[in-house]
Amino acid sequence: MKHCRKPILGYLRRMTEKIIILDFGSQYTQLIARAVREANVYCEIIPYYQQFDINETLKGVILSGSPFSVNEEKAPVVAISDFNKALPILGICYGAQLTAKTYGGVVNKSNKREYGRATLILKNEQDALFDGVPQQSQVWMSHSDSIQQLPPHFEVLATTESIPVAAFKQSNHSPNPLYGLQFHPEVFHSTEGKKIIRNFLVNICGCSQNWTPANFVQESIAQLKKQIGDRKVIMALSGGVDSTVAATLISKAIGDHLYCLFVDNGVLRKNEYEQVLHTYQQLHLNVVGIDAKEHFYTKLAGKTDPEEKRKIIGNTFIEIFDREAKRMNDIGMLGQGTIYPDVIESVSVHGPSQTIKSHHNVGGLPDYMQLELVEPLRFLFKDEVRKVGIELGIPAELINRHPFPGPGLAIRILGEVTEEKVHLLQQADAIFIDALRNANLYSKVWQAGAILLPVKSVGVMGDERTYEYTLALRAVTSVDGMTADWAHLPYDFLASVSNAIINQVKGINRVVYDISSKPPATIEWE
């Protein structure tokens, strides 16, 4: 799918005070953003080479870490001194090293790679960046270069047992405060890290911490009214949190000028079509349900490649969506539930990233439809979407639903998708999810589901030999889906679920549990 030709409006760019995070390719950049957002300050991640406007809403800049060394020939660089003329700056790891080198300091390879926990020792406990931070605390190091000599007019604020410069600042603060941290305050293992980031935001940048769900709802509705005017918006709903929250926001702004479609593509969870339509009616959304199961099954027949299945589902959905849109008059805009991780995973600081898998909601419809995108959640993480949903009064059972892939069960059936396989997987998946709820484990898991494998194995049930499918159970813990660990579910729980599936779902005689983390695996199998 291609991007729509007409521009996407960035709601939040003009709404509230903001921090820019310049990304040099660090694996931890998203964690910086999360720490800033948790301090109730809005921020955006942009590639280091992207230009940005400096205005009254922009309060500061954070420079991320990087896999590069500042001494490499092709190391990424930015005009730190130009930014600092207008804004306070905090460099983290590579960002700190780049700052030191830019102003005339010395950065060289360390005698040994410094990775893991270290003890931060403050030399200046009175500095505003370390307000409320004890004289010694644990931090997380991840670097092979070290700052061996600071530039003139810079001072050391902290050291560790092994490095002489763990934190520093420009001593004359001219024209604006300029700080550097050799460690990563954004990671869990830096015990005072989020306090340090908060101090930068509040004490150094003067942020008022007004980034709250209530303010977001109020400002988003105002921006939506301004952007949409009296035009009509069409939107596809998936039954998930993102599209539901986005549709509710748009509906609050324009009422019945929003037309929603909920398509049964044949690969939804058991009874999901009926249940979700009922919920949407309770939310007073203007929604039409479309039963297209057989059409999708026909299109998917004989297809086994994961990307091909995703594209078939996406293209078939477009076909149905286009057909329904033509029945409506004067539709000029398309609503989508795109969220920030979708955007981040689809962009690389080094240019177009390698495709891990297609995101079904990054982009839009074909150019010929000429629809302008409306994406009110484009700059929110998943947990922020949930908080906004609660603020909007959306029922908790929908807000707290696990993420579910756009292609549905089609990418949880490895190999060809058939109606028979969908029926098997729907039953097994329902047993697993219901068991998680009944054992009070559902809310402790970020995402869970069952995967039907293209593998049959021999089994014995009663006195009869069976040769049936193998089912994999997958459950992960995560904060925002960017990284994930496998959920350590109790053995007796897994045994009970396995027994229930094998006994109740004819066609499955073996159940396994996936203990892979992301990375290196992905949450979904396809």
Side-chain angles (χ1 to χ4, degrees):
M1 290 189 289
K2 299 178 181 178
H3 286 283
C4 298
R5 288 178 179 169
K6 295 190 177 180
I8 301 169
L9 295 185
Y11 298 97
L12 312 179
R13 297 175 187 272
R14 302 181 301 277
M15 284 168 37
T16 190
E17 59 190 20
K18 178 171 65 176
I19 296 291
I20 286 291
I21 301 169
L22 293 183
D23 181 21
F24 293 98
S26 170
Q27 61 180 321
Y28 298 135
T29 302
Q30 290 79 26
L31 296 181
I32 301 173
R34 296 210 50 76
V36 173
R37 297 280 184 92
E38 287 173 13
N40 294 329
V41 175
Y42 176 66
C43 66
E44 289 180 21
I45 299 170
I46 64 173
Y48 70 90
Y49 53 78
Q50 181 175 317
Q51 294 184 343
F52 56 91
D53 294 329
I54 296 177
N55 54 44
E56 68 278 3
T57 66
L58 187 56
K59 308 295 284 187
V61 175
I62 297 176
L63 310 176
S64 83
S66 176
F68 283 92
S69 164
V70 294
N71 295 318
E72 291 181 34
E73 183 180 348
K74 294 184 178 180
V77 297
V78 294
I80 297 175
S81 59
D82 288 349
F83 300 154
N84 193 223
K85 290 175 184 177
L87 299 163
I89 293 178
L90 174 65
I92 294 176
C93 197
Y94 178 90
Q97 295 165 0
L98 182 61
T99 300
K101 183 176 181 179
T102 297
Y103 284 83
V106 178
V107 180
N108 284 323
K109 286 286 184 186
S110 303
N111 293 331
K112 61 177 182 178
R113 177 168 163 76
E114 293 162 322
Y115 184 86
R117 295 174 178 84
T119 300
L120 185 74
I121 305 167
L122 298 184
K123 297 298 184 184
N124 184 350
E125 298 178 58
Q126 304 305 313
D127 194 272
L129 187 66
F130 295 103
D131 183 31
V133 176
Q135 201 266 333
Q136 293 191 15
S137 62
Q138 177 183 285
V139 294
W140 184 262
M141 295 286 185
S142 179
H143 61 96
S144 56
D145 287 350
S146 283
I147 300 165
Q148 302 196 349
Q149 182 179 325
L150 281 175
H153 309 298
F154 280 68
E155 65 177 281
V156 176
L157 297 178
T159 64
T160 70
E161 310 95 317
S162 58
I163 61 172
V165 182
F168 65 84
K169 72 175 181 180
Q170 190 175 34
S171 53
N172 59 3
H173 272 191
S174 176
N176 283 292
L178 176 58
Y179 285 88
L181 303 175
Q182 180 64 82
F183 59 93
H184 286 274
E186 69 274 22
V187 304
F188 173 79
H189 301 294
S190 292
T191 56
E192 303 294 326
K194 290 186 178 179
K195 185 179 292 183
I196 294 169
I197 290 175
R198 180 196 173 279
N199 286 341
F200 175 71
L201 301 171
V202 178
N203 299 345
I204 309 301
C205 298
C207 294
S208 60
Q209 298 180 282
N210 62 357
W211 174 247
T212 65
N215 283 345
F216 174 81
V217 168
Q218 182 180 1
E219 293 174 346
S220 290
I221 290 173
Q223 287 291 333
L224 285 165
K225 287 180 178 178
K226 183 177 179 181
Q227 180 193 4
I228 298 170
D230 60 358
R231 290 180 288 179
K232 295 178 182 179
V233 179
I234 190 170
M235 183 170 183
L237 301 181
S238 67
V241 177
D242 303 335
S243 66
T244 301
V245 172
T248 305
L249 271 173
I250 297 171
S251 180
K252 294 280 186 185
I254 64 172
D256 285 347
H257 275 205
L258 171 66
Y259 296 86
C260 299
L261 303 177
F262 180 48
V263 178
D264 186 351
N265 57 14
V267 286
L268 300 175
R269 282 176 160 161
K270 185 178 180 181
N271 300 325
E272 186 171 24
Y273 181 64
E274 296 78 13
Q275 292 169 357
V276 170
L277 271 181
H278 178 69
T279 300
Y280 286 151
Q281 290 167 358
Q282 290 180 313
L283 292 172
H284 306 292
L285 292 176
N286 184 17
V287 59
V288 174
I290 301 168
D291 184 348
K293 292 192 295 291
E294 297 303 323
H295 191 53
F296 277 89
Y297 290 151
T298 300
K299 294 278 190 176
L300 288 166
K303 308 301 182 185
T304 60
D305 179 74
E307 275 298 297
E308 188 177 11
K309 288 192 291 185
R310 284 177 178 270
K311 289 175 181 177
I312 286 171
I313 290 173
N315 291 335
T316 304
F317 172 79
I318 290 172
E319 175 189 326
I320 294 169
F321 193 90
D322 186 31
R323 182 190 69 201
E324 296 299 320
K326 287 177 178 176
R327 296 177 180 175
M328 303 174 185
N329 295 322
D330 304 323
I331 297 294
M333 307 185 80
L334 168 69
Q336 288 199 145
T338 308
I339 65 173
Y340 211 16
D342 298 337
V343 177
I344 293 169
E345 286 194 352
S346 299
V347 177
S348 168
V349 299
H350 306 299
S353 59
Q354 180 179 355
T355 300
I356 297 173
K357 58 186 179 183
S358 299
H359 278 291
H360 67 282
N361 56 347
V362 177
L365 295 178
D367 290 346
Y368 65 79
M369 292 195 72
Q370 291 289 294
L371 296 176
E372 181 182 324
L373 287 179
V374 184
E375 297 180 310
L377 308 179
R378 187 176 177 85
F379 295 99
L380 295 191
F381 288 99
K382 176 70 77 171
D383 62 317
E384 293 171 327
V385 174
R386 288 194 169 104
K387 290 175 183 176
V388 169
I390 291 169
E391 184 69 29
L392 289 167
I394 297 173
E397 59 269 19
L398 197 154
I399 288 297
N400 295 324
R401 285 184 63 182
H402 291 170
F404 189 61
L409 299 180
I411 58 168
R412 293 183 179 177
I413 297 172
L414 273 59
E416 183 183 9
V417 176
T418 67
E419 188 171 2
E420 175 195 7
K421 290 179 181 178
V422 171
H423 183 63
L424 284 178
L425 186 54
Q426 284 176 331
Q427 293 180 80
D429 178 81
I431 291 171
F432 184 29
I433 299 302
D434 288 346
L436 286 169
R437 294 186 191 279
N438 294 335
N440 294 319
L441 292 170
Y442 186 85
S443 61
K444 298 177 182 178
V445 171
W446 162 265
Q447 185 171 337
I451 300 95
L452 189 65
L453 306 183
V455 174
K456 288 188 175 183
S457 64
V458 174
V460 178
M461 301 186 75
D463 293 327
E464 295 184 6
R465 175 187 182 276
T466 62
Y467 189 64
E468 297 176 336
Y469 285 106
T470 300
L471 183 86
L473 301 180
R474 177 75 157 145
V476 299
T477 57
S478 180
V479 174
D480 54 22
M482 303 297 291
T483 61
D485 193 14
W486 61 278
H488 294 233
L489 299 177
Y491 290 157
D492 56 349
F493 170 82
L494 290 172
S496 175
V497 170
S498 174
N499 187 61
I501 290 172
I502 291 171
N503 284 329
Q504 296 176 37
V505 183
K506 183 174 176 55
I508 296 173
N509 69 355
R510 192 178 297 270
V511 174
V512 298
Y513 188 54
D514 182 350
I515 58 170
S516 308
S517 296
K518 175 187 179 181
T522 55
I523 294 177
E524 298 293 342
W525 280 43
E526 289 191 342

